[in-house]
Amino acid sequence: MTETPKRAQRAGHGADTIYWDPVKKSYVGAVSLGYAPNGKRRRPKVYGKTKTEVRNKIRDLKKEVQTGVKAPANYTVADAVNDWLERGLKGRDEKGTIGKNRSMANKHLIPFIGKAKLKELSADDVDDWLDDRAEFLATRSLRDLLAILRRSIAHAQRRDKAARNVALLVTAPEGRPGRPSKALNLEEAKAVLIAARPSRLYAYLVLSLLSGVRTEEARPLTWDHVFLETQDDVPPHVAVWRSVRKHGETKTRKSRRTIALPKQVVDVLEEHLRWQKQERASRGMEWSPTGRVFTTRSGEPLDAANVRRDFKAIVKKAGLKPEWTPRELRHSFVSLLSDHGIPLERIALLVGHSSQATTEAVYRKQLRPVITQGAEAMDEIFAKDQEEEDTEGQEGSDAAA
């Protein structure tokens, strides 16, 4: 007795169906998603070359409905990144945080995966992209790039433009060795200061090298935060309470500190103040009344590009390789103190890396304890050099007489 083959069962009313469309030469999946507010049945269709592809698209479509996220079909990775840069970083510094992220994205992200549709982006795609970039970028840069992608997709998720964040499934690979930070030795530091003496950046470099302030802390420094005389047994000092970051905040709350100034820094700043007053008087109304210690020729605040350009010329004049950067003056400060035997915990306190929380009460009137070790050490480190200059100057005066 032969068995009668079972007939294919017809899909029930409202069930998902998959069928072949001879006109479009592809499989079609029809999905039942209930009814719209106007009473019409919601039955979108998906297409694929195989039934498996159609089933996967039906599954993804249902997931979007369940999560309430309907990712736009043509929304790309580039769209997500640009949306995050435009709307996700409100209140951040346009030239700093936003500018840095935009530059990295435009160079290393958008040209490589920017055209990919975000809903189709996979963890493998992200891995392949990072592995390719690892041949050209340092590990730190790769981590920054991955962070940009993660935050861009997270921003898209909050706008219901992405169902999941595949970048969270990926770890940044090891990249090329980064450029290590360097520190000037004593002879190199002296050479830089000698080369900078005729420059308007001289006082800036002296303060940075001999007190350890960050370049972003030195640029916005105002004269009302600089105290060049001893008052009530408090030595000359500088209140490092601001930076060029958004809203003027220092890098961390613990970076806010008050440090004593070495005598050489006091002398240089006094000379710089006299010179600035003369320049301001000669400029008249053209001078910008910012109250900054370090300015351009018209009194405008210095920016990072000003400092880097002038510092590069000074370093070259000092006979050093032009690869040095202004931020390495701070590394040099730490290195010189360490070589002089100053304990690490004292150095950390001087550069604002202390782990102890300190009181931030009554601005300027109740200063934090003035940290004197750095000033005392720098006076000793550079004392011999200063004495030699004074002796040479005296000999020259005697000869002239």
Side-chain angles (χ1 to χ4, degrees):
M1 184 175 177
T2 60
E3 295 183 0
T4 303
K6 295 181 178 180
R7 296 177 62 183
Q9 292 184 349
R10 186 185 183 93
H13 181 70
D16 302 333
T17 58
I18 299 176
Y19 59 91
W20 174 258
D21 187 333
V23 177
K24 295 187 176 182
K25 295 183 180 180
S26 65
Y27 285 96
V28 182
V31 188
S32 180
L33 299 179
Y35 294 89
N38 60 5
K40 290 186 178 181
R41 189 178 178 190
R42 297 174 59 193
R43 194 167 174 78
K45 295 180 180 180
V46 294
Y47 300 86
K49 295 180 180 180
T50 65
K51 287 186 176 181
T52 301
E53 183 181 351
V54 172
R55 289 192 186 99
N56 289 337
K57 288 185 176 182
I58 290 175
R59 181 194 61 202
D60 293 340
L61 186 58
K62 287 186 173 181
K63 281 185 178 179
E64 290 180 356
V65 173
Q66 291 172 356
T67 58
V69 176
K70 186 178 180 180
N74 296 322
Y75 192 72
T76 65
V77 172
D79 293 331
V81 173
N82 288 324
D83 282 349
W84 173 66
L85 290 171
E86 291 295 331
R87 302 177 182 178
L89 293 174
K90 292 179 180 178
R92 302 297 181 87
D93 183 15
E94 180 65 36
K95 292 184 179 180
T97 302
I98 298 177
K100 174 188 172 183
N101 286 316
R102 189 184 301 280
S103 176
M104 290 194 69
N106 288 339
K107 289 180 180 178
H108 301 290
L109 195 160
I110 293 176
F112 300 93
I113 60 172
K115 293 182 180 179
K117 294 178 181 178
L118 188 57
K119 65 184 301 181
E120 297 176 359
L121 186 70
S122 68
D124 287 341
D125 295 332
V126 179
D127 267 328
D128 292 342
W129 160 62
L130 289 174
D131 288 341
D132 174 72
R133 293 292 85 202
E135 298 180 15
F136 307 96
L137 299 176
T139 303
R140 172 65 183 272
S141 296
L142 293 172
R143 291 172 182 167
D144 289 344
L145 274 177
L146 181 57
I148 291 173
L149 182 60
R150 285 175 173 174
R151 297 178 69 183
S152 297
I153 299 177
H155 183 265
Q157 285 180 303
R158 293 193 292 272
R159 271 34 178 202
D160 290 341
K161 294 181 178 180
R164 64 181 184 141
N165 194 337
V166 296
L168 294 175
L169 307 176
V170 176
T171 302
E174 290 294 319
R176 298 178 60 183
R179 175 184 174 276
S181 295
K182 307 184 299 300
L184 298 166
N185 59 36
L186 182 56
E187 294 307 315
E188 291 171 333
K190 289 179 179 179
V192 168
L193 293 184
I194 291 172
R197 189 67 183 87
S199 168
R200 66 185 298 110
L201 204 62
Y202 178 60
Y204 182 101
L205 299 186
V206 170
L207 176 66
S208 299
L209 180 61
L210 273 65
S211 68
V213 300
R214 296 179 176 89
T215 182
E216 66 189 44
E217 296 168 339
R219 296 204 305 275
L221 187 64
T222 54
W223 284 112
D224 59 352
H225 282 188
V226 178
F227 303 87
L228 300 178
E229 297 180 356
T230 300
Q231 296 180 353
D232 299 327
D233 295 327
V234 178
H237 58 275
V238 59
V240 183
W241 288 66
R242 293 182 59 79
S243 79
V244 293
R245 293 170 179 266
K246 192 68 175 179
H247 306 305
E249 295 297 328
T250 51
K251 188 171 184 179
T252 66
R253 292 183 64 189
K254 296 172 186 177
S255 296
R256 301 180 74 182
R257 61 206 185 279
T258 302
I259 50 179
L261 295 174
K263 184 179 183 301
Q264 184 172 345
V265 176
V266 174
D267 293 341
V268 169
L269 286 178
E270 287 177 342
E271 179 185 2
H272 181 74
L273 178 59
R274 290 193 295 270
W275 166 81
Q276 191 181 84
K277 287 180 178 178
Q278 294 174 357
E279 188 174 47
R280 184 172 60 220
S282 65
R283 290 279 180 174
M285 295 297 293
E286 295 180 3
W287 184 270
S288 179
T290 61
R292 299 287 180 93
V293 177
F294 307 109
T295 67
T296 63
R297 299 183 188 280
S298 59
E300 296 292 338
L302 289 177
D303 62 26
N306 298 139
V307 177
R308 284 195 300 267
R309 182 190 62 243
D310 292 349
F311 183 69
K312 187 175 182 179
I314 290 169
V315 167
K316 183 178 180 180
K317 183 180 178 181
L320 305 180
K321 293 182 179 180
E323 60 190 22
W324 292 90
T325 62
R327 68 182 177 85
E328 286 167 330
L329 293 171
R330 179 174 164 85
H331 295 288
S332 304
F333 169 79
V334 173
S335 177
L336 290 169
L337 288 182
S338 180
D339 290 343
H340 197 68
I342 300 298
L344 181 60
E345 59 270 17
R346 294 293 184 185
I347 297 175
L349 189 60
L350 283 164
V351 296
H353 289 169
S354 173
S355 59
Q356 293 183 343
T358 50
T359 306
E360 296 180 357
V362 190
Y363 173 62
R364 287 187 56 200
K365 295 184 179 180
Q366 188 175 334
L367 295 171
R368 297 187 181 194
V370 176
I371 309 164
T372 62
Q373 287 85 353
E376 294 165 356
M378 282 299 177
D379 275 336
E380 292 179 18
I381 291 172
F382 285 87
K384 293 183 179 180
D385 186 55
Q386 188 66 35
E387 290 174 2
E388 291 174 2
E389 290 185 7
D390 293 343
T391 302
E392 291 175 0
Q394 184 63 41
E395 291 176 353
S397 300
D398 294 342

